[in-house]
Amino acid sequence: MAVHMKKMPGQLTVVIKLGTSSIVDEKTHQPLLSILSLIVETACKLHADGHRVVIVSSGAIGVGLRQMNLPRRPKHLPKVQALAAIGQCKLLALWDQLFGNLSQPIAQVLLTRNDIADRTQYQNAQNTFIELLSMGVIPIVNENDTLAVTEIKFGDNDTLSAITAGMVQADYLFLMTDVDCLYDKNPRTNPDAKAIEVVEDISELTADVNSAGSALGTGGMSTKIVAARLATSAGVTTVITKSSKPGNISAIIKHAEQQRKANMSSRNSISNFQDDAVANLHAASHDLSNSTSSLPEAENQSTTIPTPQTDAEPVPLHTRFLPISHPIRDRYFWILHGLAPHGTIYIDNGAFKALHDKAGLLPVGIVDVEGHFAQQEAVRIVVVKRLNTTSAPVTLPTIPAPHTPTHATHTHAPVPLRHPLPHANSHPHSHTSSGTHTPLYELTNPAPFEIGRAVVNYSASEIRRIKGMHSTQIVKELGYADSEYVAVRENIAFFGIERSRPPTPQLEH
């Protein structure tokens, strides 16, 4: 069952992500109290204005280094996890003390990817956020680093903040960093570098993203772009701005909301003008004798199209990524971003067209399988062209975005379904659990493309046995048939187009 946040008119949900370099000094590991105090003041001001605030805080390892008087982050994973356990206590106590000065209650929420891999646990986490926010509490979110084994973080806390923003159906995600915004070139070496304020389509972004993470953290500018892609797909406006100036958050939100409302007002005014002009022209043509007096009236109206009015106050430097027109919500967001894929299923063009028409994935359309996975685990879905076939070349269709008004100032129509598979052109052979073998599909013409994720009804070994067969043959091959589908349609999500409910026009606050 879908979980929805209930908000008052004009109420926004804002997620603020702070990296380790914004919380502790990179060399001394001392907490940066000036920045933290400003973050607390900003969060409390937003809360006092009626908005909901979530903070995603890194820094546990950095604080742990200070507590244990260690000079640098160790490489041995158990030591890193131990430092995270030590530092998390001190870090939360610091947040509690700072917010306590303003009588603002906080709560600690520690997550791992395993915590949200189960659909019920994912919804439990959502329900916890809902209750905390409705109680006026500011959640402080971090990954449970003590339990993370394959990697100390989700990948980095930028990704965690984007997943959190999707879970709480946030309006804004602020990725606080050590630069004001994105530039088209490196501003340190190019004096003519230009700031990028608004990004409508991340796939067309041309910016310098070569900055790496700090010595204490795991992220960098490239991870923030990945997080922005994830968050905007969930309908969240994502902002990159300078962490040393957290007071800019309120000004940026004010500016963004004014622009959003001005754009909506402009679209409504143009629509009303067009309706009035058409009505006047019909009235004029109804009686030719009055045409000379009626037509000028319509012409006079055409000269008064309102233009959007924006605030004259200077806007702090920032880069704002606009959300897609039709966000991925609820179950589909969980399938795409809450689950870690354990393998890959390669399907042909016929299977893709069936999925596009809302059918499930049948074994007959499966070309190959890669990896080891069990029933009810997530896998990548990749479209390929079979070898030794006379069928038409693989064509991946696009879906035009319906003309539904949203708060975004842009639309993505049509929406591409293809995500390039990074290793598609690098392997001369396909790989499966049985080792390297002759490929069963084209590797370059066209190259395989990942289109989404699925939760499967059969394990990897079972799918290898039944791939290419009709569903009626499953019982003969396996001795049983849990389902005629390898994955039912509700357990399949495409990148960029899925939504669990029709998009709802955003109303003026």
Side-chain angles (χ1 to χ4, degrees):
M1 181 177 180
V3 177
H4 302 298
M5 295 282 182
K6 295 181 180 180
K7 295 189 289 187
M8 300 295 291
Q11 186 178 56
L12 301 173
T13 300
V14 181
V15 177
I16 303 172
K17 184 268 174 181
L18 292 167
T20 301
S21 61
S22 302
I23 294 176
V24 298
D25 184 89
E26 188 172 349
K27 294 182 179 178
T28 67
H29 308 147
Q30 287 276 18
L32 300 175
L33 294 178
S34 58
I35 294 180
L36 295 178
S37 297
L38 289 173
I39 286 287
V40 168
E41 289 180 15
T42 299
C44 289
K45 184 179 183 302
L46 289 170
H47 188 267
D49 290 340
H51 305 308
R52 295 173 168 181
V53 181
V54 177
I55 292 178
V56 178
S57 169
S58 301
I61 296 170
V63 173
L65 288 171
R66 175 65 184 174
Q67 285 291 100
M68 301 307 295
N69 198 27
L70 296 175
R72 65 184 62 85
R73 176 180 176 139
K75 296 181 179 180
H76 193 43
L77 182 60
K79 288 185 178 180
V80 177
Q81 293 174 317
L83 285 173
I86 295 167
Q88 186 63 36
C89 296
K90 187 70 174 180
L91 180 61
L92 188 68
L94 180 59
W95 280 119
D96 192 46
Q97 179 183 358
L98 293 173
F99 276 105
N101 293 332
L102 298 178
S103 302
Q104 172 60 51
I106 65 170
Q108 176 177 251
V109 179
L110 296 177
L111 295 173
T112 65
R113 189 174 285 280
N114 282 342
D115 292 331
I116 60 175
D118 177 78
R119 178 63 178 165
T120 300
Q121 289 181 228
Y122 180 87
Q123 291 178 318
N124 287 342
Q126 279 188 308
N127 289 329
T128 299
F129 277 118
I130 289 174
E131 288 302 318
L132 289 173
L133 294 173
S134 65
M135 293 167 65
V137 175
I138 294 180
I140 309 292
V141 183
N142 197 356
E143 182 163 8
N144 193 348
D145 293 337
T146 304
L147 299 180
V149 288
T150 51
E151 172 53 49
I152 196 65
K153 298 189 180 300
F154 269 77
D156 53 85
N157 268 12
D158 294 322
T159 301
L160 174 61
S161 69
I163 291 176
T164 300
M167 289 177 68
V168 302
Q169 298 173 18
D171 299 281
Y172 290 91
L173 166 62
F174 282 83
L175 300 173
M176 312 301 288
T177 184
D178 57 356
V179 296
D180 292 300
C181 59
L182 288 180
Y183 291 86
D184 59 351
K185 305 174 186 175
N186 188 336
R188 296 183 179 91
T189 57
N190 297 276
D192 60 339
K194 296 179 180 179
I196 301 173
E197 180 180 346
V198 177
V199 177
E200 295 190 6
D201 187 348
I202 296 179
S203 64
E204 298 179 357
L205 176 65
T206 302
D208 180 77
V209 295
N210 293 322
S211 61
S214 69
L216 298 177
T218 59
M221 192 55 69
S222 60
T223 67
K224 290 171 177 55
I225 302 300
V226 173
R229 185 188 300 275
L230 195 161
T232 54
S233 74
V236 182
T237 299
T238 305
V239 179
I240 292 176
T241 191
K242 201 171 184 67
S243 59
S244 61
K245 301 176 182 178
N248 289 345
I249 291 175
S250 296
I252 293 170
I253 290 176
K254 179 181 177 182
H255 170 69
E257 286 296 293
Q258 286 178 337
Q259 282 203 334
R260 180 184 64 82
K261 292 179 181 180
N263 287 329
M264 289 183 64
S265 177
S266 176
R267 287 196 297 269
N268 291 337
S269 297
I270 292 174
S271 177
N272 291 337
F273 156 74
Q274 291 172 337
D275 291 342
D276 291 342
V278 170
N280 285 327
L281 288 172
H282 278 302
S285 62
H286 182 70
D287 188 353
L288 292 177
S289 62
N290 296 328
S291 62
T292 55
S293 61
S294 299
L295 287 173
E297 183 179 350
E299 292 172 356
N300 290 337
Q301 290 187 18
S302 68
T303 62
T304 58
I305 301 176
T307 57
Q309 298 295 319
T310 58
D311 56 292
E313 300 176 10
V315 181
L317 275 176
H318 68 282
T319 296
R320 189 167 73 255
F321 298 84
L322 302 183
I324 65 173
S325 301
H326 305 294
I328 303 168
R329 295 288 198 192
D330 307 326
R331 182 176 183 84
Y332 292 130
F333 181 83
W334 169 72
I335 291 173
L336 287 174
H337 304 298
L339 301 177
H342 292 269
T344 303
I345 292 179
Y346 298 89
I347 65 173
D348 61 22
N349 197 38
F352 175 77
K353 289 180 178 178
L355 296 180
H356 175 257
D357 293 334
K358 300 299 182 182
L361 177 59
L362 295 169
V364 69
I366 296 176
V367 179
D368 205 357
V369 183
E370 181 178 270
H372 300 272
F373 51 86
Q375 287 181 328
Q376 300 306 310
E377 287 190 329
V379 299
R380 303 176 190 86
I381 301 294
V382 176
V383 178
V384 295
K385 179 185 177 183
R386 291 180 184 269
L387 287 178
N388 302 321
T389 179
T390 57
S391 60
V394 175
T395 55
L396 301 180
T398 57
I399 297 180
H403 298 291
T404 305
T406 69
H407 66 287
T409 59
H410 71 293
T411 58
H412 293 279
V415 180
L417 299 184
R418 301 186 294 178
H419 280 225
L421 199 62
H423 63 272
N425 296 324
S426 60
H427 292 298
H429 303 283
S430 62
H431 297 267
T432 69
S433 62
S434 59
T436 302
H437 62 77
T438 303
L440 303 175
Y441 51 86
E442 292 282 358
L443 295 175
T444 58
N445 185 31
F449 278 89
E450 181 181 4
I451 59 168
R453 304 284 168 81
V455 177
V456 293
N457 294 327
Y458 294 94
S459 68
S461 60
E462 291 170 327
I463 297 174
R464 287 189 185 95
R465 293 172 61 184
I466 63 175
K467 64 182 175 65
M469 296 182 177
H470 292 283
S471 297
T472 54
Q473 298 174 284
I474 295 178
V475 173
K476 182 179 179 181
E477 178 64 30
L478 299 181
Y480 54 87
D482 292 336
S483 171
E484 65 177 313
Y485 295 105
V486 170
V488 296
R489 189 58 184 85
E490 67 176 8
N491 284 340
I492 301 171
F494 288 142
F495 291 112
I497 65 164
E498 293 290 5
R499 52 187 182 274
S500 58
R501 59 180 184 277
T504 303
Q506 299 291 320
L507 303 179
E508 292 281 353
H509 293 319

